[in-house]
Amino acid sequence: MGMRLQSVLLNAKQLLKLQSMHTRGRNQPDVPKGHIAVYVGEIQTKRFVIPISYLNHPSFQDLLKQAEKEFGFNHPMGGLTFPCKEDAFIDLTSQLHAS
């Protein structure tokens, strides 16, 4: 009886692990280590993955202050959202990437 119970528990753990991996892969796209997913847009948002180091840049600090004023710390989307035009964000990240 003890051996069968161990076998059932092991199979259940493996099944849960596989389900977790499947669900995680489908619902939450991977973000590489050292990066963060952010959302950008004034009306409709688009997801970008950027290096965390960008958040220390003064221009990003300004965006963080704008986001705090606009959304506070309890945003309904649950993610870091910048209320700016997508083109302006792309220009900023391109400048930072080039430097």
Side-chain angles (χ1 to χ4, degrees):
M1 176 85 168
M3 295 292 263
R4 175 146 169 75
L5 181 58
Q6 286 178 341
S7 176
V8 169
L9 288 175
L10 181 61
N11 287 338
K13 285 181 183 179
Q14 289 173 343
L15 181 61
L16 287 173
K17 185 176 181 179
L18 287 173
Q19 287 176 341
S20 173
M21 288 171 52
H22 176 70
T23 302
R24 191 175 340 146
R26 186 180 65 223
N27 294 335
Q28 297 176 343
D30 290 337
V31 176
K33 187 174 183 176
H35 291 70
I36 185 171
V38 297
Y39 299 89
V40 178
E42 295 175 316
I43 298 171
Q44 188 173 1
T45 60
K46 185 173 178 181
R47 184 179 187 265
F48 291 88
V49 176
I50 60 168
I52 291 175
S53 61
Y54 284 9
L55 298 177
N56 290 325
H57 191 275
S59 298
F60 265 93
Q61 293 291 315
D62 291 340
L63 284 176
L64 287 167
K65 289 175 187 171
Q66 288 178 14
E68 180 184 0
K69 287 179 186 176
E70 178 92 16
F71 304 115
F73 291 109
N74 189 16
H75 191 270
M77 279 185 61
L80 180 55
T81 303
F82 293 120
C84 68
K85 292 184 178 181
E86 186 179 324
D87 292 340
F89 184 83
I90 291 171
D91 288 343
L92 174 60
T93 55
S94 296
Q95 290 172 8
L96 292 176
H97 182 72
S99 63

